[in-house]
Amino acid sequence: MTKAQFQVFPSPEAVAGAVASHIGGVVRTRPQTVLGLATGKTFVPIYEALVRLSGETGLSFAEASSFNLDEYVGLAPDHPASFRRYMEDNFFRHVDLPAERALLPEAGGDAEAACLAYEAAIAARGGIDVQLLGIGRNGHIGFNEPGSAFDGRTQVARLTPSTIAANTSDFPAGELPPPEAITMGIGTILDAREIVLVATGAAKAEALTRAFVALPDRDCPASALQQHAHVTVFCDEAAFAGMGRPA
Ligand code: F6R
């Protein structure tokens, strides 16, 4: 049985406000917080709410650090669909988090070396305090697709056809997502002291049920989170709809 706590809200906007205020509280309490960040459609309103909170309350990230979960292999940082660009546009550019401490995997050169360097950089900061996660319809977290080992470290991962299909709309017309990405491994994610998983919309209901109602299974990477002692799931009613039913 999962130890995860669930916070259920009527709408994605309400989820965004609650996640922003939770993260704001963490950073206010410990200004040197090491954040693990995620990208994707789910997080657009969350960064918007966090930027608004920072503007309205003076919440500062000046002493914080961040490590994003993943980045496509081979995309230039300023490519419109790179996760670096997403983070600059949605968050980094609007807050006072120092650029040298706002890191994503370096997916442009020697990818294997970049994976090791990323693990070392996280360790050198003392590990991740709070890791934000979305969830794929197939249960992926980061780019850890079904079948990934629960003790995996930062690595080069191959995207499944369903993830490529889900992310194609982020790319300019006629362009497909790269087939590979660097992602924190599930073991890296589980090392975070706290995990906040966010799921909104009916399309995530089945994945949430498989992750938290069924027994942990490598076919659903998010089910590894059942092993973690401090997980909070922030979701809307549509994503929560299947919970309580057998997966
Ligand atoms: C993004 C990431 C992915 C997304 C997931 C859900 O950094 O790691 O695991 O969280 O694919 O994406 P959306 O929110 O677009 O449905």
Side-chain angles (χ1 to χ4, degrees), residues 8-13 15 41-42 45 135-137 197-209 234-243:
V8 186
F9 298 87
S11 66
E13 294 72 30
V15 171
K41 297 172 186 70
T42 307
I135 184 169
R137 289 177 205 197
L197 183 133
V198 188
T200 53
K204 299 295 173 67
E206 191 187 333
L208 215 53
T209 311
F234 288 77
C235 61
D236 64 359
E237 282 159 7
F240 191 72
M243 297 293 298

Side-chain angles (χ1 to χ4, degrees), residues 38-42 69-70 83 134-136 140-142 204:
T39 57
K41 297 172 186 70
T42 307
L69 280 166
D70 41 20
F83 290 162
I135 184 169
H140 72 220
I141 47 175
K204 299 295 173 67

